[in-house]
Amino acid sequence: MPETPTSARKSNLAPLLDGRRRVVIESVFPEVDGGRFAIKRVVGETVRVEADVFSDGHEVLHCMLLHRRQGDRAWLETPMEELGNDRYTATFVVGEQGVYEYTLTAWIEPYATWARGLGRKVEVGQDVSLDLVAGADLVAAAAERATGVDAGALSTLANRLRSEEPIAVPVELALSEETASLVGTYPDREHATSYERELRVVVDRERARFSNWYELFPRSAAEEPGRHGTFADVERRLPYVAQLGFDVLYLPPIHPVGRTMRKGRNNALVPEPEDVGSPWAIGAEEGGHTAIHPDLGTLEDFRRLVAAAERRGIEVALDLAFQCSPDHPWVSEHPEWFKHRPDGSVQYAENPPKRYEDIYPFDFESEAWWELWQALLGIVRYWIEQGVRIFRVDNPHTKPFAFWEWLIGEVKREFEEVIFLSEAFTRPKVMARLAKLGFTQSYTYFAWRNTKHELIEYFNELARGRQREFFRPNVWPNTPDILTEYVQHGGRPAFVTRLVLAATLAASYGIYGPAFELCENRPREPGSEEYLDSEKYQLRHWDLARPDSLSELVARINAIRRENRALQSDWSLVFHHTDNEQLLAYSKSDERSNVVLCVVNLDPYHRQSGFVDVSLAHLGIGEGPFQVQDLLGGGSFLWQGPRNYVELDPGVLPAHVFAVRQRVRSERDFDYFS
Amino acid sequence: MPETPTSARKSNLAPLLDGRRRVVIESVFPEVDGGRFAIKRVVGETVRVEADVFSDGHEVLHCMLLHRRQGDRAWLETPMEELGNDRYTATFVVGEQGVYEYTLTAWIEPYATWARGLGRKVEVGQDVSLDLVAGADLVAAAAERATGVDAGALSTLANRLRSEEPIAVPVELALSEETASLVGTYPDREHATSYERELRVVVDRERARFSNWYELFPRSAAEEPGRHGTFADVERRLPYVAQLGFDVLYLPPIHPVGRTMRKGRNNALVPEPEDVGSPWAIGAEEGGHTAIHPDLGTLEDFRRLVAAAERRGIEVALDLAFQCSPDHPWVSEHPEWFKHRPDGSVQYAENPPKRYEDIYPFDFESEAWWELWQALLGIVRYWIEQGVRIFRVDNPHTKPFAFWEWLIGEVKREFEEVIFLSEAFTRPKVMARLAKLGFTQSYTYFAWRNTKHELIEYFNELARGRQREFFRPNVWPNTPDILTEYVQHGGRPAFVTRLVLAATLAASYGIYGPAFELCENRPREPGSEEYLDSEKYQLRHWDLARPDSLSELVARINAIRRENRALQSDWSLVFHHTDNEQLLAYSKSDERSNVVLCVVNLDPYHRQSGFVDVSLAHLGIGEGPFQVQDLLGGGSFLWQGPRNYVELDPGVLPAHVFAVRQRVRSERDFDYFS
């Protein structure tokens, strides 16, 4: 870099270092909050970067996208392509887990600018003899920068441009693609502009993007009614979970449950002696967040469960609920981590006038916040040591953002493969911030998006909005806290509809079972989203063999998800027009090799029919008929053109999940399908 | 600020300084490129700032907008109001020219959070005696921070909350507005979050926003044909310019014109001996950019012109055309500031295959770039010393962006009142960058936006797009370089239409006269935007007294602009629906006290009529009839409701410029107007 005059350095223009740096780089995308946060990808995905790049004048520019793994010194460079309107683009692939960095650099190409001018002058018959000498000088300068064979080739080239041959010869040489390429290989980057920021990509493993979650309460997993379930019971449940096609088994907190202020069945304030309390009231004399509820088994049992699940391709996910029951050992060991009331008692959780007296929140404003942070990180580290790599984080929005950013950063620096799911059902900006600061996946508003308009608006935002760069949705039709009116009233057909929507609209989804597949939909009271006899406060016994169970349908939809890469990512989602407000149509595709088109009847009560107007371009369909094969209900149809008739009966099956294929056109096809 | 543990500082989280800083501030608006560039305002205007502000949990927050003049130490604080969805807003007024800074800070209000909870608990009849003690502690802490009388008042308050009075008494006290306000006056800001950036506002004088430009060639200002005009002639022209209502008189370059490679009439390559050449071929043996063309007069004459103009409320604006004729003294004095061709000659301007051999551009990639920059700044300083405060900058997009940012910054640091108009008719991002980096006003694409759709789209972008924060449009229906097809073919009615559009759509506009008011529209050749016998290459003599001159109309429209503040700013523009593709309707308002509604017939050939559907809310009109008074054509109409009939004949007057007033409703009004 040439020296900058002192007075320039002292002048008003801080960003100025070199007055000859003429190229400007701005409006880089993706870039989250001016580079404050990273974007997210999974291994093997592509990052497509765009930027506005221009200089004064009418010069030919060369723009490079730079990327590297964090920690590497050398950048890998990719030339960027011009899109028009001064916009450039290039892509890079993130091949490994961890953090990548990317930035841009651009410079003026005097030779290319010169050659373009030469071409135009030659076209109109101007004398270019002097131009050729100027071009030769540029080539000679490139020769100075070149090494090896190319240095010689460029010197020769420079001499030939200066030669006395008939002018058409050097002109042709100057304008040839080989010359452009050879000279362009040795650019003068002394005054190149580097984009002022290095942006980051957090690269996760594929499960961060495509995951199938099943939540169950281990204590309800006993085969015989009334007995407290154990890890061994859960282990015996694994074949069932595997058969259903899930790859993440999420367990609510497995720790000792507090006794003080324990909640009874249906959230009763005064429990019966046999009541088991809420697993989220963590900690008792047996231990806290690193202890295991004695009735569930031992650490050994837990590790065996994790290993057994792994053999079936299932990962066990734990709940990180950073709060304590009044009996948690830390309440007495670390009173400084809790707020105290004027009478000396510890402040329980409250959202006035609601009180949660079985829960003590941590005081993140404690003078001892740093020790608290480390202790909480210690909990995560402990379970990672036991083989856990996925955490569902309970109510992250009630702990400081800075804490999560630090904790997730610390964990992922050491264990890149760890996945954190944010359970924040709260205001949109808070949810977005949690995703930005590092949560791998986020719960969504899906459960409350039921109409066609709501679903289209919300999933367009999730799949196309700018926040998709960091917010990975994980959609759940039900959870232990969420029993929506839609399934309360719509019953079994509503469960089926919500299952199909979740499993085909989103690459990551989950159900809370066996409540879901057994269509559990009795609310604690009218207007409540709480279950009657909720497992949160009592043991339940589920009859998995019930003939009306949705287990086979769940298994089928998960098999479809496994077999169709189109359903394993979110961004390709496109909605198609239908002429019926109860019919929702959409498709997803995997670079066109796999295209899935869904049509869902949103009305759980009535048969609905209508015409679907598909965008053939989005389906990758050209002229002529194409086959849609119903992967869910079976049957194939030969469709022709964009407009086709559909009829769906919620009593039978409220959805088509079509694989779309352009057929080789032949009369036989018509015979066969029509 | 409390100490940060070293290990936290060393951790992955650079922005983390204090784990107890729980509030987050993001998505601040306005903010240009992450604070890299300033927004713009004029003296007396308001800056409305918005931001997303939230913390974890459900705390009550307090957000402050901070602003100050650059150089002041103390910030002025304005509490921000919540808009919903975690968005906050506040405004501040920029009272003086120069640079202002603004930023934000926010903190959690434990007392307000506590009081809200108290209220809810009291509502459902919970025991709050312990809560009151906790509240008293918060008040006592505020007392510690308070000074003077308030400290005592807060101590007393704390004691009363702890008192043994019937509980309703301290509860009422705790929940009173006075208490909230008193406690809120002494917040604990130890863990307040400050927004990480200080943003800037460049505050210009009012003319930066509202200006009326008139361009004329001094050498064509002689009263008798054939004589080279002088500054004295221009001085004699001032009453005319003032009568037309202009307040900026822009003169093309006034410097000696080069002789080498001088262009002849109509851009002929070989001039006649008497040809005067292009004023943009700056520099001859008489001098360069600080010299005056001897035929125009002396520096003394120029200063007298500037002073005479000032007495009439007119500012003289000069052209900054940073380029040289081959005869410019710098060509020999500073050969290092120019590019040289292989034969040793200086490289003339070219855009192959076009050549401009009468022009030598500066070489901004010169090793001596810093000296060149200083010399160019010296030119600006020189003319400022002669009393010039407005510069129209010729082709800024052919000089480096960094150069302009530096030059404008240097000038405005010393002379806040200087206005720079960017004459960059080029790609949108280049124009935006020039505005961002500091140009006060910018030429636009207005001349080429002629259809209803084009005008609505473009002016919505200018008046509502995010770039309005830094891009101040100055619209010209013609310039010496721009004679559009629309006026070539549409003749006088087209000139009128374009005049009205420019003067009412934009707060700053200009015309190149007397060509404009005399409807000069003969192109050099078919398809060209160049004038036949262009003043760029020859003297012209204009008959200002021609009966078909638009001078009276120009005077009237400029008087309307002066008298209607609605037309003096850009952001209030709203388009209204019409049922005729040739009728464009729009309004502007000045905080409702002044509302102007325009309806323009875009068809210069035919009478057009139709219904205008005005948005009454935007006009500030309630129920009942309202008066529209045509400020341009005269006449008043009583309109009722949104839908009203309009008919415009281009042969008479193609536009209504209505002042809109809600009438006091009375029968007499109806009688009078109908």
Side-chain angles (χ1 to χ4, degrees), chain A residues 266-299:
Chain A
N266 288 308
N267 203 24
L269 287 178
V270 182
E272 300 297 320
E274 74 276 14
D275 278 347
V276 289
S278 161
W280 282 275
I282 296 172
E285 60 192 42
E286 296 88 348
H289 284 77
T290 52
I292 285 177
H293 194 298
D295 290 350
L296 288 174
T298 63
L299 182 60

Short mmCIF file of all heavy atoms in Angstrom, two decimals, chain A residues 266-299:
data_model
loop_
_atom_site.label_atom_id
_atom_site.label_comp_id
_atom_site.label_asym_id
_atom_site.label_seq_id
_atom_site.Cartn_x
_atom_site.Cartn_y
_atom_site.Cartn_z
N ASN A 266 -53.29 -31.29 36.56
CA ASN A 266 -53.98 -30.15 35.96
C ASN A 266 -53.59 -28.83 36.62
O ASN A 266 -54.42 -27.94 36.80
CB ASN A 266 -55.50 -30.36 35.99
CG ASN A 266 -55.91 -31.42 34.98
OD1 ASN A 266 -55.55 -31.35 33.81
ND2 ASN A 266 -56.60 -32.46 35.46
N ASN A 267 -52.32 -28.77 36.97
CA ASN A 267 -51.74 -27.52 37.49
C ASN A 267 -52.32 -27.12 38.85
O ASN A 267 -52.31 -25.94 39.21
CB ASN A 267 -51.92 -26.37 36.48
CG ASN A 267 -50.90 -25.26 36.68
OD1 ASN A 267 -49.81 -25.49 37.23
ND2 ASN A 267 -51.23 -24.06 36.25
N ALA A 268 -52.83 -28.09 39.59
CA ALA A 268 -53.40 -27.77 40.91
C ALA A 268 -52.31 -27.21 41.82
O ALA A 268 -51.15 -27.64 41.77
CB ALA A 268 -53.99 -29.05 41.53
N LEU A 269 -52.69 -26.24 42.64
CA LEU A 269 -51.70 -25.61 43.51
C LEU A 269 -51.28 -26.52 44.65
O LEU A 269 -50.16 -26.45 45.15
CB LEU A 269 -52.24 -24.29 44.07
CG LEU A 269 -52.28 -23.15 43.04
CD1 LEU A 269 -52.88 -21.89 43.64
CD2 LEU A 269 -50.87 -22.87 42.50
N VAL A 270 -52.24 -27.39 45.04
CA VAL A 270 -51.90 -28.33 46.12
C VAL A 270 -51.88 -29.75 45.56
O VAL A 270 -52.89 -30.24 45.07
CB VAL A 270 -52.93 -28.23 47.27
CG1 VAL A 270 -52.54 -29.17 48.40
CG2 VAL A 270 -53.03 -26.79 47.76
N PRO A 271 -50.72 -30.38 45.58
CA PRO A 271 -50.61 -31.71 44.96
C PRO A 271 -51.11 -32.82 45.90
O PRO A 271 -51.15 -32.64 47.11
CB PRO A 271 -49.11 -31.84 44.73
CG PRO A 271 -48.50 -31.05 45.84
CD PRO A 271 -49.46 -29.95 46.19
N GLU A 272 -51.47 -33.91 45.30
CA GLU A 272 -51.68 -35.15 46.05
C GLU A 272 -50.30 -35.73 46.32
O GLU A 272 -49.35 -35.44 45.60
CB GLU A 272 -52.50 -36.14 45.21
CG GLU A 272 -53.87 -35.62 44.81
CD GLU A 272 -54.77 -35.35 46.02
OE1 GLU A 272 -54.74 -36.16 46.97
OE2 GLU A 272 -55.43 -34.29 46.03
N PRO A 273 -50.21 -36.58 47.37
CA PRO A 273 -48.89 -37.12 47.73
C PRO A 273 -48.22 -37.86 46.56
O PRO A 273 -47.01 -37.81 46.40
CB PRO A 273 -49.19 -38.09 48.87
CG PRO A 273 -50.51 -37.64 49.41
CD PRO A 273 -51.27 -37.02 48.30
N GLU A 274 -49.04 -38.52 45.71
CA GLU A 274 -48.42 -39.31 44.65
C GLU A 274 -48.11 -38.48 43.41
O GLU A 274 -47.54 -39.00 42.44
CB GLU A 274 -49.31 -40.51 44.29
CG GLU A 274 -50.56 -40.17 43.49
CD GLU A 274 -51.73 -39.70 44.38
OE1 GLU A 274 -51.48 -39.39 45.57
OE2 GLU A 274 -52.87 -39.63 43.87
N ASP A 275 -48.48 -37.20 43.40
CA ASP A 275 -48.26 -36.39 42.20
C ASP A 275 -46.77 -36.22 41.91
O ASP A 275 -45.96 -36.07 42.82
CB ASP A 275 -48.95 -35.03 42.35
CG ASP A 275 -50.44 -35.11 42.02
OD1 ASP A 275 -50.85 -36.15 41.45
OD2 ASP A 275 -51.17 -34.18 42.34
N VAL A 276 -46.47 -36.22 40.60
CA VAL A 276 -45.06 -36.24 40.19
C VAL A 276 -44.49 -34.85 39.90
O VAL A 276 -43.29 -34.69 39.74
CB VAL A 276 -44.88 -37.15 38.96
CG1 VAL A 276 -45.06 -38.61 39.36
CG2 VAL A 276 -45.88 -36.77 37.84
N GLY A 277 -45.35 -33.84 39.81
CA GLY A 277 -44.86 -32.47 39.59
C GLY A 277 -44.42 -32.23 38.16
O GLY A 277 -44.44 -33.14 37.32
N SER A 278 -44.04 -30.98 37.92
CA SER A 278 -43.61 -30.61 36.57
C SER A 278 -42.12 -30.86 36.40
O SER A 278 -41.32 -30.43 37.23
CB SER A 278 -43.90 -29.13 36.31
OG SER A 278 -43.12 -28.67 35.22
N PRO A 279 -41.74 -31.55 35.34
CA PRO A 279 -40.30 -31.79 35.11
C PRO A 279 -39.51 -30.50 34.94
O PRO A 279 -38.28 -30.51 35.04
CB PRO A 279 -40.28 -32.59 33.80
CG PRO A 279 -41.67 -32.99 33.51
CD PRO A 279 -42.58 -32.09 34.28
N TRP A 280 -40.21 -29.39 34.67
CA TRP A 280 -39.49 -28.12 34.50
C TRP A 280 -39.17 -27.45 35.85
O TRP A 280 -38.49 -26.45 35.87
CB TRP A 280 -40.28 -27.18 33.59
CG TRP A 280 -40.13 -27.57 32.14
CD1 TRP A 280 -39.13 -27.20 31.30
CD2 TRP A 280 -40.99 -28.43 31.39
NE1 TRP A 280 -39.31 -27.78 30.06
CE2 TRP A 280 -40.45 -28.54 30.08
CE3 TRP A 280 -42.16 -29.16 31.67
CZ2 TRP A 280 -41.04 -29.31 29.08
CZ3 TRP A 280 -42.75 -29.92 30.67
CH2 TRP A 280 -42.19 -30.00 29.39
N ALA A 281 -39.72 -28.01 36.94
CA ALA A 281 -39.33 -27.54 38.28
C ALA A 281 -38.10 -28.37 38.67
O ALA A 281 -38.16 -29.36 39.40
CB ALA A 281 -40.47 -27.75 39.27
N ILE A 282 -36.97 -27.93 38.17
CA ILE A 282 -35.76 -28.75 38.19
C ILE A 282 -35.00 -28.65 39.50
O ILE A 282 -34.76 -27.54 40.00
CB ILE A 282 -34.83 -28.36 37.01
CG1 ILE A 282 -35.54 -28.68 35.68
CG2 ILE A 282 -33.48 -29.06 37.11
CD1 ILE A 282 -34.82 -28.15 34.47
N GLY A 283 -34.63 -29.79 40.02
CA GLY A 283 -33.75 -29.81 41.18
C GLY A 283 -34.45 -30.25 42.45
O GLY A 283 -35.55 -29.80 42.78
N ALA A 284 -33.80 -31.13 43.16
CA ALA A 284 -34.30 -31.63 44.44
C ALA A 284 -33.07 -32.07 45.22
O ALA A 284 -31.93 -31.86 44.79
CB ALA A 284 -35.28 -32.78 44.22
N GLU A 285 -33.31 -32.70 46.36
CA GLU A 285 -32.13 -33.09 47.14
C GLU A 285 -31.23 -34.06 46.36
O GLU A 285 -30.04 -34.14 46.60
CB GLU A 285 -32.55 -33.68 48.49
CG GLU A 285 -33.41 -34.93 48.35
CD GLU A 285 -34.05 -35.31 49.68
OE1 GLU A 285 -34.52 -34.38 50.40
OE2 GLU A 285 -34.06 -36.51 49.99
N GLU A 286 -31.83 -34.78 45.37
CA GLU A 286 -31.03 -35.72 44.57
C GLU A 286 -30.08 -34.99 43.62
O GLU A 286 -29.20 -35.62 43.02
CB GLU A 286 -31.95 -36.63 43.75
CG GLU A 286 -32.84 -37.55 44.58
CD GLU A 286 -34.18 -36.88 44.96
OE1 GLU A 286 -34.31 -35.65 44.76
OE2 GLU A 286 -35.07 -37.60 45.45
N GLY A 287 -30.31 -33.70 43.41
CA GLY A 287 -29.41 -32.97 42.53
C GLY A 287 -30.13 -31.99 41.63
O GLY A 287 -31.36 -31.88 41.69
N GLY A 288 -29.34 -31.34 40.79
CA GLY A 288 -29.88 -30.30 39.93
C GLY A 288 -29.81 -30.64 38.46
O GLY A 288 -30.19 -31.75 38.05
N HIS A 289 -29.28 -29.72 37.68
CA HIS A 289 -29.32 -29.85 36.22
C HIS A 289 -28.40 -30.92 35.66
O HIS A 289 -28.51 -31.25 34.47
CB HIS A 289 -28.99 -28.50 35.56
CG HIS A 289 -30.11 -27.51 35.61
ND1 HIS A 289 -30.44 -26.80 36.74
CD2 HIS A 289 -31.01 -27.12 34.66
CE1 HIS A 289 -31.47 -25.99 36.50
NE2 HIS A 289 -31.83 -26.17 35.23
N THR A 290 -27.50 -31.41 36.47
CA THR A 290 -26.67 -32.50 35.95
C THR A 290 -27.05 -33.83 36.58
O THR A 290 -26.40 -34.85 36.33
CB THR A 290 -25.17 -32.21 36.23
OG1 THR A 290 -25.02 -31.92 37.62
CG2 THR A 290 -24.68 -31.03 35.40
N ALA A 291 -28.12 -33.83 37.36
CA ALA A 291 -28.59 -35.09 37.98
C ALA A 291 -29.74 -35.67 37.17
O ALA A 291 -30.33 -34.98 36.33
CB ALA A 291 -29.03 -34.82 39.41
N ILE A 292 -30.01 -36.92 37.41
CA ILE A 292 -31.10 -37.60 36.72
C ILE A 292 -32.16 -38.00 37.74
O ILE A 292 -31.83 -38.45 38.85
CB ILE A 292 -30.55 -38.83 35.96
CG1 ILE A 292 -29.81 -38.34 34.70
CG2 ILE A 292 -31.66 -39.81 35.60
CD1 ILE A 292 -29.17 -39.45 33.92
N HIS A 293 -33.39 -37.83 37.38
CA HIS A 293 -34.50 -38.22 38.24
C HIS A 293 -34.35 -39.71 38.57
O HIS A 293 -34.30 -40.55 37.66
CB HIS A 293 -35.81 -37.97 37.51
CG HIS A 293 -37.01 -38.02 38.40
ND1 HIS A 293 -37.39 -39.14 39.10
CD2 HIS A 293 -37.93 -37.06 38.73
CE1 HIS A 293 -38.48 -38.89 39.81
NE2 HIS A 293 -38.82 -37.61 39.59
N PRO A 294 -34.29 -40.04 39.85
CA PRO A 294 -34.02 -41.44 40.22
C PRO A 294 -35.03 -42.42 39.61
O PRO A 294 -34.66 -43.54 39.25
CB PRO A 294 -34.13 -41.44 41.74
CG PRO A 294 -34.03 -40.02 42.17
CD PRO A 294 -34.45 -39.17 41.03
N ASP A 295 -36.28 -41.99 39.45
CA ASP A 295 -37.28 -42.91 38.91
C ASP A 295 -37.07 -43.20 37.43
O ASP A 295 -37.64 -44.15 36.89
CB ASP A 295 -38.69 -42.34 39.11
CG ASP A 295 -39.09 -42.35 40.58
OD1 ASP A 295 -38.36 -42.97 41.39
OD2 ASP A 295 -40.11 -41.72 40.91
N LEU A 296 -36.28 -42.35 36.75
CA LEU A 296 -36.03 -42.59 35.33
C LEU A 296 -34.89 -43.57 35.13
O LEU A 296 -34.82 -44.25 34.10
CB LEU A 296 -35.67 -41.28 34.63
CG LEU A 296 -36.83 -40.29 34.41
CD1 LEU A 296 -36.30 -38.98 33.84
CD2 LEU A 296 -37.88 -40.89 33.49
N GLY A 297 -33.98 -43.60 36.09
CA GLY A 297 -32.85 -44.50 35.97
C GLY A 297 -31.57 -43.80 36.34
O GLY A 297 -31.58 -42.79 37.05
N THR A 298 -30.48 -44.35 35.84
CA THR A 298 -29.16 -43.83 36.19
C THR A 298 -28.54 -43.15 34.98
O THR A 298 -29.06 -43.23 33.86
CB THR A 298 -28.24 -44.98 36.60
OG1 THR A 298 -28.08 -45.83 35.45
CG2 THR A 298 -28.85 -45.79 37.74
N LEU A 299 -27.42 -42.49 35.23
CA LEU A 299 -26.67 -41.90 34.13
C LEU A 299 -26.29 -42.99 33.13
O LEU A 299 -26.34 -42.79 31.91
CB LEU A 299 -25.41 -41.21 34.68
CG LEU A 299 -24.54 -40.51 33.65
CD1 LEU A 299 -25.32 -39.41 32.93
CD2 LEU A 299 -23.28 -39.95 34.29
#
